[in-house]
Amino acid sequence: MAVLLSVSVTLLAGLLMSRLAKVLKLPAVTAYIIAGILIGPFCLGALPLPEGIGFSSIESVESFKIITEVATGFIAFSIGNEFRLSALKKTGKQATVIGILQAVAATLVVDAALIGLHFIMPDKISLPAAVTLGAIASATAPAATLMVVNQYKAKGPLTDLLLPIVALDDAVGLIIFAVSFGIAKSMVSGGALDFISVIVEPLLEVILSLLLGAIMGFIFHLTERFFHSRSKRMSISIAFVLLTVALTTVKFEIGGVHIGFSTLLTCMMLGTVFCNICDVSEEIMDRTERWTAPLYVMFFALSGAELDFSAFADVAIVGIGVVYIIARSLGKYFGTFGSSKLVKCEPTVNKFLGITLLPQAGVALGMSLTALELGKSDGTLVRNIVLFSVLIYELVGPMLTKMALQAAGEIKPEGKKSSRGATDMAGGRRHRAKH
């Protein structure tokens, strides 16, 4: 009962908060995150209420991790739909160049700022922690960006580049993090760099994730042809995304090399292959996205509930966090601005694309968990700074993305979308026709 109560409270809180957000003209994803904060351990969960009404601890939020993993799979599957060959012929080169350069620029700027901070106050932030945070800065959250684009039905050259870039960003970020984190660990241990963990394992993760996704996409297409009704096609697509997410959790070791998969990359490739070889892929993906609406509400609400406000208790963490946020934002913006000009994008893309790449969440949090291997002191510092920055980015990022897309002219004024209103209007037209 407590589990069902938690699920229903989380879903209802997100939906009710979205009505307030609509009045305030905020993106729905921001409303879901705020709803999660309100029912989380630092608000409603802190009160002596029956089990299931609010989350009493971070651990209770993490017990719903399966929802987060499944939602991540569907988000990546949707992003894969943006990699149609017809579109990539126009934007593929630009997206690749910008995706790589902006991630590297963010890492370099944050590295420079935090290494400088280390020399100013070495007792607050170590060199390994600074290097690790620089790598984490490369990651962008595709989920929040995709939700804003879908909610406002954004269309145009900026949107066409944005979604492939946030997808590519995951692969680039994984490689940057693996290399930087390998360097950071060698600083802590005082040993030599481990070539396997720094180069081989991250490259294998990217390659094997893409390969697994491609195989699953091909099998999905072969299986889909046996079903003809819309409901069964939607059901088979859901089954394949769930199966692919399950396969990405498998980890093993061969000859001392750790093998793992990225859920984002694998499910993204699943969607990419499927949309390019299936004639009815657009219809199937559209119906699948409608089914996932409640799942996304819970995903972002749980993300909000998971944010740890205890990070605010340490003034040093807040100060380092502010430096990290400013440096990363500058790196993302100017890295994107320079690289988009390099590949001769439109002026509106040059000006606003960098702003849309600021959100940061799931991938960065995953990297911060890995950073705990640096040791209790450095690992905890990195974790808390990332938690602090994710809190800020998740609340502000979606709003900035909406503003940038509006300024670029890719979000049209909202019309009346209520199905009740549409029914009333249709009834009115029928009534007038009779007279």
Side-chain angles (χ1 to χ4, degrees):
M1 177 182 172
V3 172
L4 290 176
L5 187 59
S6 294
V7 169
S8 59
V9 167
T10 303
L11 188 55
L12 285 170
L15 291 171
L16 291 172
M17 186 59 68
S18 70
R19 303 318 298 163
L20 176 60
K22 189 173 181 66
V23 174
L24 299 174
K25 296 184 178 180
L26 297 175
V29 60
T30 302
Y32 303 150
I33 293 168
I34 293 174
I37 292 172
L38 293 178
I39 62 173
F42 297 92
C43 290
L44 195 63
L47 302 176
L49 297 171
E51 187 180 0
I53 301 178
F55 296 98
S56 59
S57 66
I58 296 294
E59 288 73 24
S60 64
V61 182
E62 292 176 346
S63 66
F64 289 86
K65 187 179 179 182
I66 186 172
I67 293 176
T68 302
E69 291 176 347
V70 170
T72 300
F74 279 102
I75 288 165
F77 180 65
S78 295
I79 292 175
N81 193 35
E82 304 300 322
F83 284 88
R84 293 181 180 272
L85 292 178
S86 56
L88 289 179
K89 288 177 182 178
K90 300 177 183 177
T91 62
K93 179 182 177 183
Q94 291 177 329
T96 302
V97 172
I98 297 171
I100 295 172
L101 294 184
Q102 58 82 24
V104 172
T107 295
L108 293 177
V109 173
V110 172
D111 273 343
L114 295 185
I115 289 173
L117 202 62
H118 160 72
F119 287 112
I120 295 172
M121 44 186 204
D123 57 322
K124 296 295 182 182
I125 180 169
S126 69
L127 208 53
V131 171
T132 302
L133 284 166
I136 295 174
S138 64
T140 297
T145 303
L146 179 67
M147 283 290 288
V148 173
V149 169
N150 285 347
Q151 180 185 351
Y152 296 103
K153 295 179 172 57
K155 289 182 181 179
L158 174 55
T159 306
D160 290 342
L161 274 173
L162 173 58
L163 294 178
I165 287 172
V166 294
L168 178 65
D169 187 88
D170 185 42
V172 177
L174 283 172
I175 295 171
I176 291 175
F177 178 76
V179 174
S180 296
F181 189 58
I183 294 171
K185 285 199 295 184
S186 70
M187 290 179 182
V188 172
S189 63
L193 291 177
D194 182 358
F195 177 77
I196 291 178
S197 62
V198 172
I199 302 295
V200 176
E201 289 181 353
L203 283 176
L204 272 178
E205 180 173 340
V206 171
I207 293 169
L208 292 177
S209 296
L210 295 177
L211 180 61
L212 175 61
I215 292 170
M216 293 302 294
F218 184 70
I219 297 173
F220 178 18
H221 171 56
L222 292 179
T223 308
E224 169 272 326
R225 293 189 297 178
F226 291 102
F227 301 92
H228 303 289
S229 72
R230 292 180 176 180
S231 60
K232 287 182 179 178
R233 280 177 166 173
M234 181 186 73
S235 298
I236 198 70
S237 67
I238 292 167
F240 262 88
V241 175
L242 293 175
L243 176 59
T244 305
V245 171
L247 291 175
T248 61
T249 62
V250 175
K251 299 184 186 299
F252 52 94
E253 184 176 334
I254 299 177
V257 179
H258 296 279
I259 306 296
F261 301 93
S262 162
T263 302
L264 273 171
L265 286 179
T266 307
C267 291
M268 180 196 73
M269 184 56 95
L270 168 71
T272 300
V273 171
F274 179 68
C275 78
N276 279 290
I277 63 178
C278 178
D279 295 335
V280 293
S281 62
E282 287 195 43
E283 176 196 329
I284 293 175
M285 286 186 152
D286 180 61
R287 294 186 69 82
T288 303
E289 285 179 11
R290 294 180 188 181
W291 179 87
T292 55
L295 186 64
Y296 290 167
V297 175
M298 289 203 62
F299 171 76
F300 287 105
L302 289 170
S303 297
E306 197 175 9
L307 296 176
D308 192 346
F309 281 76
S310 62
F312 285 104
D314 191 333
V315 177
I317 289 176
V318 173
I320 297 169
V322 169
V323 172
Y324 171 85
I325 290 170
I326 293 173
R328 179 180 178 272
S329 300
L330 290 173
K332 284 284 180 182
Y333 182 81
F334 287 106
T336 304
F337 182 83
S339 56
S340 62
K341 290 198 77 171
L342 180 67
V343 291
K344 299 178 180 175
C345 293
E346 296 183 17
T348 52
V349 173
N350 299 340
K351 189 174 181 181
F352 298 112
L353 181 58
I355 298 173
T356 65
L357 296 176
L358 295 183
Q360 187 174 46
V363 177
L365 290 172
M367 291 175 176
S368 70
L369 282 174
T370 304
L372 293 174
E373 296 175 17
L374 289 175
K376 186 175 181 181
S377 178
D378 289 340
T380 303
L381 176 69
V382 170
R383 175 70 174 169
N384 286 336
I385 289 172
V386 172
L387 284 169
F388 172 79
S389 67
V390 164
L391 171 63
I392 304 301
Y393 277 126
E394 283 294 89
L395 291 175
V396 178
M399 290 185 283
L400 292 177
T401 299
K402 177 193 173 184
M403 291 167 62
L405 291 170
Q406 279 181 323
E410 300 194 7
I411 293 180
K412 305 302 179 187
E414 292 184 81
K416 191 167 186 177
K417 298 180 181 177
S418 170
S419 58
R420 184 180 295 111
T423 302
D424 292 343
M425 289 171 66
R429 285 194 295 270
R430 285 194 297 270
H431 178 75
R432 286 193 298 273
K434 289 180 181 179
H435 291 77

